[in-house]
Amino acid sequence: MTVSNSKRPDEGDEVPDSKRQHAEAKPESDTRSNGIAPIKPEFIVEKQNIKVDEYNDDEAEMGDRHGGDSSKENTGSKKKKRGQNKKRDLKQEHEETRLCASLIDPDSPRECKFGSKGCRFTHDIDEYLKAKPDDIEGTCPVFAAIGYCPVGLKCRWLHSHFDVETKKLVKDLEKMNKAEKENYEVNKIPGDVKYKLQKKTYEFTQSSLVIPYIDSLVQNEDNLERKREEAKEAAATFTEQPYKIAEKKRLNLSRAKIVSPLTTVGNLPYRRLMKTLGADVTYSEMALSVPLIQGTNAEWALPKAHVSEYPGFGVQIASSKHWAAAKAAEAIYKEGSHVSEVNLNCGCPIDLLYRQGQGSALMEQPARLVRILKAMNASSGDLPVTVKIRTGSKDNKNTAKTLVDRLLKENDIAAVTLHGRSRQQRYTKEADWSYIGEVGSVVKQWNEEKQEDKDRSDLPDTFFIGNGDVFTHEDWYNAVNTPGIDSVMVARGALIKPWIFEEVEAQQYLDKSASERLDMLGKFASFALEHWGSDEYGVGLARRFMCEFLSFTHRYIPVGILERLPPKINQRPPIWKGRNELETLLGSSDYKDWVKITEMFLGKTGSNFHFTPKHKSNAYEATS
């Protein structure tokens, strides 16, 4: 396979003319559909019989982990959406012969609490090494990055850091010391804290005072007088949060390069990659508040971040109850050492959350939303609270402007992000940036009035962030140059084209070569192995999430083969071939080709690996 040796221009260097792409005006005589990408004729595969499935991009916001069912709309229609694979089996299998964790480092074996006879894993190192799959060629990426391999004998690249004669693991102390200072993960919840959450013995010192007060604000129409008395009593015992709004951490989101919270694909390795490509702000995958305060392992894996993400790392939660949101916010504040903000998701359209009163359902219950935000603000310590919403629940019935006006008057919100689509609309139409601008003007006016109010002038301004269909630097600058819009949150645009913020910085299109794009995928693979481990199970997870990533990156059409610019995020291409074999491979919609790409970094796929694409691969037959 021929791979181009083109190198990305160094920061500050002049970008070669061959890398520059400038937008051309669309000819008035061009009658081609806006839904078809304008690829140059010489790159289109002739005589094709194409069947193009629809993308289910709601999965970028939700995902399989919470069991989201997007096969039905809220209207009750039973018509299934096309282009999806239902009930994907995403579990990765372990090795047939598994080594006890107490023996993964033969230099410092630990005592197995079950004993060699009671343990269900083998204690015979020679037996394990004999049964272990053949090593993957090359150097262990984890060892190369941090100077040792945490999975020890279980590593699939064991030969690169194991002395066969002494039967000892090799360790690079210099790299280990450097990694300890510069390359580590944060926001890891201690086991004893998780145990207290699970056993309901964790002390929620602040939210325990906040919750009764918020409870008292829920008026009961059958007995308003009694409720008013309860409210007075609760207010008398309520203790103000230790941090007033003016004392909370200050955000700086003005013209910040922001990656949207993305479930499944927005994992730690992906976010770490985006930080290397110019992102300023990243968010965790959406965590559910109740499982968080119950100490669920899967939920507490989500606030984990790489140290490079902070400052500028936000934890997003979903909740339908103020008591759960308050406790989750307090736990994140206490246990998250590297968190910049707590974000409330009020935009997720998936039916499962909607039926539970979470996500976009909160937009239909403004009073409940106000109470949740109040509870979070009072319980989150010095962490500012932000919120992400949609234009409304129903198409052609925007409610965000009225809602934002109320939220600003009744809460102290550090930032509001508006996705320019309704819940019902999903991704069927383009985002409404005209309406986003209207809502931005409401926030702008509020900030101006606040500065004139002596009682509130010390409070920080509320940032307003737009979101939806930003795929080019032109889209980004058109948004941030609109009065009232402070910055843009990029979602699918950063999945399909991860270097979008480099283009924003350069203020031009960058025609990345196939080898440059492959290097990015290689960096993701290394980050994934550092995060999930370089043993058989970790390699399987890294491969699976790399395939999930490729399910978006394959949709990128190189600007160098387009007839005109700008490209559109929702345009579907005819079957095309790249300028070399690698570029063609990177553009393949066949998930089997995605697996081939992972093998370049993660070794040959074993029989234990399973992957079903979220979107059914495009099927076509090329006839001669």
Side-chain angles (χ1 to χ4, degrees):
M1 180 177 295
T2 303
V3 180
S4 170
N5 291 321
S6 300
K7 295 183 179 179
R8 183 175 62 203
D10 292 331
E11 186 176 357
D13 291 350
E14 183 178 353
V15 180
D17 290 338
S18 61
K19 290 286 183 179
R20 299 178 186 271
Q21 295 289 334
H22 301 285
E24 300 176 3
K26 180 180 177 180
E28 293 183 4
S29 60
D30 194 340
T31 58
R32 281 174 288 188
S33 168
N34 288 331
I36 304 298
I39 294 177
K40 294 176 181 177
E42 60 266 34
F43 295 103
I44 296 177
V45 177
E46 298 293 339
K47 298 180 181 180
Q48 51 187 288
N49 178 19
I50 311 168
K51 177 185 176 184
V52 180
D53 285 317
E54 293 181 1
Y55 298 124
N56 178 25
D57 281 339
D58 289 323
E59 297 291 358
E61 294 190 55
M62 187 55 176
D64 309 280
R65 191 176 59 83
H66 296 304
D69 177 12
S70 57
S71 61
K72 299 179 183 179
E73 296 294 337
N74 188 46
T75 57
S77 170
K78 294 185 178 181
K79 182 179 179 181
K80 291 185 177 181
K81 293 177 74 68
R82 293 174 292 168
Q84 303 173 54
N85 280 318
K86 303 292 190 296
K87 298 180 180 179
R88 300 195 299 156
D89 180 11
L90 300 174
K91 294 181 180 178
Q92 302 303 323
E93 296 182 13
H94 290 275
E95 301 165 298
E96 292 184 8
T97 302
R98 297 171 64 182
L99 181 68
C100 178
S102 65
L103 297 170
I104 60 174
D105 186 351
D107 296 346
S108 53
R110 305 192 308 269
E111 183 179 353
C112 175
K113 62 180 180 179
F114 300 106
S116 59
K117 294 183 179 180
C119 183
R120 60 194 179 103
F121 304 128
T122 184
H123 283 238
D124 188 328
I125 292 178
D126 290 332
E127 178 192 10
Y128 170 75
L129 293 177
K130 186 177 180 180
K132 190 170 175 277
D134 292 338
D135 277 2
I136 300 172
E137 294 182 6
T139 301
C140 170
V142 181
F143 175 77
I146 64 176
Y148 77 105
C149 185
V151 299
L153 295 176
K154 299 170 70 175
C155 179
R156 290 298 316 279
W157 289 266
L158 180 60
H159 68 278
S160 66
H161 53 78
F162 181 64
D163 190 320
V164 179
E165 293 183 1
T166 62
K167 292 190 176 181
K168 290 186 177 182
L169 295 172
V170 178
K171 296 178 181 178
D172 187 329
L173 296 181
E174 184 178 345
K175 276 189 179 179
M176 288 173 64
N177 291 332
K178 184 178 181 181
E180 190 175 346
K181 297 177 182 177
E182 302 175 5
N183 183 9
Y184 57 96
E185 294 183 4
V186 293
N187 303 332
K188 295 180 180 180
I189 182 171
D192 60 327
V193 173
K194 196 180 298 182
Y195 181 79
K196 289 178 181 178
L197 287 168
Q198 293 167 350
K199 296 299 180 181
K200 299 183 179 180
T201 58
Y202 186 88
E203 292 187 23
F204 292 98
T205 53
Q206 185 60 23
S207 55
S208 62
L209 300 173
V210 172
I211 292 168
Y213 172 68
I214 302 296
D215 285 342
S216 70
L217 301 179
V218 185
Q219 293 186 340
N220 187 330
E221 293 183 0
D222 296 334
N223 197 340
L224 290 179
E225 192 60 37
R226 178 173 63 82
K227 279 294 179 183
R228 290 193 186 98
E229 291 300 320
E230 290 179 1
K232 290 179 182 178
E233 293 177 8
T237 59
F238 173 60
T239 303
E240 287 291 338
Q241 63 264 36
Y243 291 90
K244 295 181 180 180
I245 301 300
E247 299 171 343
K248 285 179 177 272
K249 289 180 181 178
R250 295 295 178 98
L251 298 178
N252 183 11
L253 301 180
S254 178
R255 301 177 85 86
K257 302 178 186 70
I258 308 171
V259 182
S260 177
L262 299 162
T263 301
T264 302
V265 193
N267 47 56
L268 186 152
Y270 167 76
R271 300 193 311 265
R272 187 179 170 190
L273 173 67
M274 291 305 301
K275 288 294 290 187
T276 70
L277 295 173
D280 298 317
V281 178
T282 57
Y283 289 87
S284 72
E285 300 174 63
M286 179 182 65
L288 303 183
S289 57
V290 172
L292 274 176
I293 61 180
Q294 291 175 339
T296 305
N297 288 330
E299 226 63 34
W300 275 104
L302 301 180
K304 288 181 182 178
H306 189 262
V307 66
S308 64
E309 296 184 74
Y310 182 83
F313 177 67
V315 175
Q316 186 184 68
I317 67 171
S319 185
S320 62
K321 307 292 183 182
H322 62 265
W323 61 265
K327 289 184 176 182
E330 181 176 356
I332 290 168
Y333 162 63
K334 287 181 176 179
E335 310 306 331
S337 58
H338 292 69
V339 179
S340 298
E341 64 175 277
V342 184
N343 179 269
L344 179 66
N345 184 313
C346 300
C348 183
I350 301 301
D351 291 337
L352 178 65
L353 260 69
Y354 182 84
R355 291 192 294 266
Q356 295 173 345
Q358 304 184 74
S360 56
L362 287 175
M363 296 188 64
E364 299 175 352
Q365 304 178 66
R368 173 176 291 195
L369 175 54
V370 166
R371 292 193 297 271
I372 289 175
L373 290 172
K374 282 183 179 293
M376 290 174 63
N377 247 325
S379 305
S380 63
D382 66 347
L383 296 181
V385 172
T386 61
V387 64
K388 186 172 188 285
I389 64 175
R390 286 184 175 241
T391 57
S393 289
K394 297 181 179 179
D395 206 4
N396 301 319
K397 191 175 181 181
N398 293 334
T399 59
K401 187 188 295 186
T402 304
L403 178 63
V404 168
D405 184 60
R406 177 172 179 176
L407 294 181
L408 291 172
K409 290 177 180 177
E410 299 190 42
N411 283 280
D412 293 291
I413 308 170
V416 177
T417 298
L418 176 61
H419 183 171
R421 292 183 174 87
S422 68
R423 173 185 184 266
Q424 186 181 39
Q425 180 183 340
R426 303 290 177 95
Y427 286 94
T428 57
K429 297 178 183 177
E430 292 185 356
D432 188 347
W433 277 93
S434 175
Y435 185 70
I436 292 175
E438 290 180 32
V439 180
S441 65
V442 172
V443 180
K444 182 174 182 290
Q445 182 178 351
W446 168 258
N447 287 329
E448 292 171 350
E449 292 175 354
K450 186 167 57 178
Q451 292 305 317
E452 297 174 1
D453 187 336
K454 293 182 180 179
D455 295 331
R456 297 183 297 143
S457 59
D458 63 328
L459 298 177
D461 286 348
T462 297
F463 289 99
F464 181 72
I465 313 299
N467 173 224
D469 292 346
V470 172
F471 191 47
T472 71
H473 64 280
E474 293 175 296
D475 296 332
W476 196 90
Y477 281 104
N478 285 340
V480 297
N481 290 332
T482 301
I485 299 179
D486 293 297
S487 192
V488 175
M489 182 178 282
V490 186
R492 291 178 300 162
L495 290 172
I496 299 171
K497 186 170 63 177
W499 61 92
I500 184 171
F501 296 128
E502 288 187 346
E503 292 191 343
V504 168
E505 192 67 27
Q507 298 188 43
Q508 62 187 9
Y509 293 98
L510 299 177
D511 188 12
K512 293 288 186 181
S513 68
S515 61
E516 287 175 312
R517 293 166 59 196
L518 191 68
D519 286 344
M520 293 178 197
L521 293 171
K523 189 174 290 187
F524 172 85
S526 295
F527 292 162
L529 292 170
E530 287 182 51
H531 180 58
W532 286 300
S534 57
D535 58 349
E536 182 75 3
Y537 186 70
V539 170
L541 282 177
R543 197 186 305 277
R544 177 243 160 151
F545 283 104
M546 193 171 180
C547 285
E548 301 280 14
F549 188 19
L550 286 162
S551 75
F552 285 93
T553 62
H554 87 274
R555 290 160 58 175
Y556 172 71
I557 304 170
V559 294
I561 72 170
L562 290 174
E563 282 192 314
R564 63 181 185 276
L565 299 174
K568 295 289 186 180
I569 195 169
N570 290 322
Q571 285 181 330
R572 300 294 193 269
I575 302 303
W576 57 275
K577 60 183 178 181
R579 291 164 290 188
N580 55 48
E581 291 181 28
L582 180 57
E583 191 167 74
T584 303
L585 179 64
L586 291 173
S588 172
S589 62
D590 188 340
Y591 76 92
K592 294 177 183 177
D593 285 330
W594 308 342
V595 174
K596 288 180 185 177
I597 294 170
T598 70
E599 291 179 337
M600 298 180 185
F601 308 102
L602 303 174
K604 202 71 178 172
T605 305
S607 59
N608 288 342
F609 177 73
H610 302 288
F611 178 74
T612 305
K614 193 174 296 180
H615 317 301
K616 293 178 181 177
S617 297
N618 295 350
Y620 71 95
E621 292 179 1
T623 58
S624 56

